[in-house]
Amino acid sequence: VGLPTFGPAWARVACVGSTTPRSSFRFELAPPTSMRPTRVSTLVWTGLAAVPVGWSFGRVVDAVSDALPPVPWILPLLLAFLAAVLFLGTRAVRGWIEERRFDGRMDALRVARMLALAKAGAVFGAAVAGAYLGLGVLALDSLSVPAGRNRAILSGLVVVAALVVAAAGIRLERACQVPPGDEESADSEGSLGT
């Protein structure tokens, strides 16, 4: 009540008025806050902000080495693998939350980790899509050369795979949401099922 607070958001340190330094502070947990879902508009703006970054990087590399930066052929495959992992995570989380499959493979902490992975995957996919879109636009100037054509095709494949990663991240994030009114029943059934 009117006490100054210090510390990070997850814990508050409040002065209680004692003169001794050790007993003058007490720790109180901050009230819980809800995590907001990632908006598609945020991902669009992230991708749009990454387009000039990719284009500028390509221009700098082209000016220094007289060649466009190479696009690794394995990158679309790795992004497709990441998207598959996110889609499989969506299936597992949805089964745990909606179908009430409380087994030893999934718990609340793992769902929270999957949520963090989903948010990071969505933003990562949008940023990679934007950056390689910028590189692809730069490679369009040299379509007559086979190397330029290959870079444009690979950049297009990377953009598509990165967009799939962003979509998989959004889907997993939506799957991690507990339907309204199910928090209490999920907690009680989860404790009974273990």
Side-chain angles (χ1 to χ4, degrees), residues 1-100:
V1 181
L3 300 174
T5 59
F6 309 97
W10 56 267
R12 292 186 181 171
V13 180
C15 295
V16 289
S18 176
T19 56
T20 57
R22 288 185 182 218
S23 64
S24 64
F25 293 100
R26 72 170 181 239
F27 290 94
E28 297 175 4
L29 291 178
T33 59
S34 63
M35 185 179 294
R36 295 186 180 158
T38 304
R39 290 188 231 152
V40 176
S41 62
T42 303
L43 300 179
V44 169
W45 283 112
T46 301
L48 289 176
V51 170
V53 172
W55 185 83
S56 300
F57 176 74
R59 292 291 292 176
V60 167
V61 170
D62 187 29
V64 170
S65 65
D66 289 331
L68 291 174
V71 179
W73 61 269
I74 198 161
L75 187 57
L77 298 176
L78 292 174
L79 290 172
F81 176 75
L82 178 60
V85 167
L86 291 173
F87 279 125
L88 287 174
T90 301
R91 185 170 180 235
V93 167
R94 184 173 290 136
W96 190 74
I97 291 177
E98 292 179 2
E99 298 173 10
R100 310 269 188 226

Side-chain angles (χ1 to χ4, degrees), residues 94-136:
R94 184 173 290 136
W96 190 74
I97 291 177
E98 292 179 2
E99 298 173 10
R100 310 269 188 226
R101 281 187 288 161
F102 299 112
D103 54 7
R105 294 177 298 171
M106 188 66 67
D107 59 356
L109 182 60
R110 188 164 292 171
V111 171
R113 289 176 180 159
M114 296 292 276
L115 176 63
L117 179 67
K119 290 180 94 52
V123 173
F124 173 74
V128 168
Y132 276 91
L133 182 63
L135 283 174

